């Protein structure tokens, strides 16, 4: 929980690489805790790494199918990836 919380602080400070490291460390400590996967997915989404963000959101839903924000974020990442591909980025 502490690593996830520190990742949140770093995310808010726009220290994305450090936030991803903290969320990943939180996942390694407690692989069944869905929140760090969701938070890491949000950072990856914001960085435009839609494939990795979608993996994280899918893992959240595997762990907790009722996590509505993860389902919405997954859908948005899929749409944005498709749009990015259409534009040739």
């Amino acid at each position: 929980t502490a690593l996830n919380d520190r990742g949140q602080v770093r995310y808010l400070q726009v220290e994305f690489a450090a936030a991803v490291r903290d969320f990943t460390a939180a996942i390694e400590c407690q692989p069944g805790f869905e929140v760090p996967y969701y938070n890491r997915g949000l950072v990856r989404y914001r960085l435009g790494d839609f494939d990795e963000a979608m993996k994280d959101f899918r893992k959240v839903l595997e762990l907790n199918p009722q996590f509505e924000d993860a389902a919405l974020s997954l859908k948005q990442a899929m749409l944005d990836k498709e749009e990015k591909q259409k534009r040739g980025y």
Side-chain angles (χ1 to χ4, degrees):
T1 303
L3 289 165
N4 182 69
D5 291 345
R6 187 172 70 182
Q8 279 290 93
V9 170
R10 289 181 167 168
Y11 173 74
L12 294 172
Q13 294 173 332
V14 195
E15 297 175 11
F16 297 138
V20 167
R21 284 192 302 272
D22 283 342
F23 295 136
T24 301
I27 290 164
E28 290 169 355
C29 289
Q30 199 172 359
F33 184 31
E34 71 270 17
V35 175
Y37 288 101
Y38 177 70
N39 290 332
R40 186 174 69 179
L42 291 176
V43 175
R44 289 174 165 174
Y45 172 84
R46 187 157 180 196
L47 293 171
D49 189 353
F50 300 124
D51 289 330
E52 291 301 313
M54 289 186 294
K55 285 181 191 175
D56 282 337
F57 297 142
R58 285 187 180 107
K59 182 64 176 181
V60 171
L61 294 169
E62 175 186 314
L63 294 169
N64 180 357
Q66 304 306 314
F67 201 124
E68 292 181 27
D69 286 344
L72 292 171
S73 295
L74 175 59
K75 288 179 187 176
Q76 190 61 54
M78 292 168 71
L79 289 171
D80 289 349
K81 178 183 176 183
E82 185 179 307
E83 185 64 27
K84 183 179 177 180
Q85 289 173 334
K86 284 181 187 176
R87 294 181 182 207
Y89 296 153

